[in-house]
Amino acid sequence: MNKIGVVFDLDGVIVDTAKYHFLVWKNLANTLNIEFTEAHNELLKGVSRVRSLEILLNIGNVTLPEDTKQDILIKKNEDYLEYIKEMNADEILPGVNKLLNELDNKNIEYVLGSASKNAPLILKQVGLLHRFKAIVDGNSVSKAKPDPEVFLIGAEKLNLKPECCIVFEDAIAGIEAANAANMMSVGVGDEETLSEANFNFNNLTEIPTHFFDEIISE
């Protein structure tokens, strides 16, 4: 594999915005008298806002009219943006800058592949927007993970075949999407949860120095 490219998920890989999603969804769940735990929040990782609301309503066995759902989705995003506006470079996860520097030194290009519609704003807030060759986010796709659409578009942005791309993901839906796209998948987080990934690391600081060299030489 002579030339490779990398597609990064955002939440839980580059920055930890999952904590903000949890706080907002929990507040919304409280208004609907739904008990929403951190374990429930794991089900929302890597999926769209619309699908997340469906999961939340299923947890509470609650049915709502469509216009009410739309109001909730708007409110959710507004509340979430208030948290995002306070983000800065301190919220970049450990190992990210070192990994991006390594990719730059090896002339390996990378893009973002995220379900978040706020990805550009988040990257701008933490000072990383300029480093990515392209951003593929919730505004760019019609199908949410585990559909591989977001990663396949990422491969196009890299001008590479899918099998030449490596995906870094922290969510089960993301790993499934990467595998469905015929890309090499790297799970960032609990190995048992992300067992379908080709490689697993607890966080980006654990990635070996020669990780990409070995993939290129294969």
Side-chain angles (χ1 to χ4, degrees):
M1 194 183 296
N2 295 323
K3 184 173 174 57
I4 64 171
V6 177
V7 186
F8 287 101
D9 177 46
L10 179 63
D11 298 346
V13 177
I14 302 296
V15 292
D16 180 18
T17 51
K19 58 189 177 185
Y20 301 134
H21 284 295
F22 172 67
L23 290 172
V24 175
W25 282 122
K26 185 166 179 60
N27 288 337
L28 285 171
N30 289 341
T31 65
L32 297 168
N33 294 316
I34 298 173
E35 182 181 355
F36 186 70
T37 66
E38 291 190 22
H40 290 142
N41 194 54
E42 290 295 313
L43 301 174
L44 309 189
K45 284 188 175 181
V47 300
S48 69
R49 196 184 313 159
V50 173
R51 178 61 185 141
S52 293
L53 178 58
E54 291 174 355
I55 293 170
L56 176 65
L57 295 177
N58 286 338
I59 290 169
N61 196 25
V62 172
T63 303
L64 295 175
E66 195 59 37
D67 57 343
T68 303
K69 289 181 185 178
Q70 293 305 315
D71 290 342
I72 288 175
L73 290 172
I74 292 169
K75 178 74 165 63
K76 190 270 175 182
N77 197 49
E78 289 174 347
D79 291 349
Y80 177 64
L81 285 174
E82 289 304 310
Y83 286 112
I84 298 307
K85 289 174 183 175
E86 302 299 318
M87 290 183 72
N88 57 49
D90 292 339
E91 302 215 39
I92 298 172
L93 288 171
V96 170
N97 280 311
K98 181 181 177 183
L99 180 56
L100 297 186
N101 290 339
E102 181 182 349
L103 292 173
D104 289 342
N105 291 335
K106 296 181 184 297
N107 294 314
I108 298 173
E109 293 182 326
Y110 46 92
V111 300
L112 193 82
S114 169
S116 172
K117 291 188 175 182
N118 300 301
L121 174 61
I122 293 169
L123 288 178
K124 181 180 178 182
Q125 287 296 111
V126 301
L128 292 178
L129 182 60
H130 66 286
R131 301 198 63 169
F132 288 81
K133 179 179 175 66
I135 307 296
V136 186
D137 62 7
N139 299 299
S140 312
V141 298
S142 59
K143 301 172 185 174
K145 303 170 188 175
D147 189 277
E149 181 185 21
V150 63
F151 294 144
L152 293 174
I153 295 175
E156 291 176 5
K157 299 290 187 183
L158 290 165
N159 297 313
L160 291 172
K161 294 179 180 178
E163 55 266 30
C164 295
C165 297
I166 306 167
V167 172
F168 285 79
E169 260 285 356
D170 77 315
I172 298 171
I175 295 296
E176 290 176 347
N179 292 344
N182 198 29
M183 296 179 176
M184 186 174 292
S185 56
V186 180
V188 182
D190 181 65
E191 183 175 354
E192 187 173 336
T193 302
L194 305 174
S195 59
E196 292 183 24
N198 297 120
F199 297 92
N200 289 98
F201 303 101
N202 289 314
N203 56 64
L204 296 185
T205 67
E206 294 186 356
I207 296 172
T209 306
H210 302 295
F211 180 72
F212 296 103
D213 294 330
E214 291 175 1
I215 291 173
I216 292 171
S217 65
E218 287 182 359

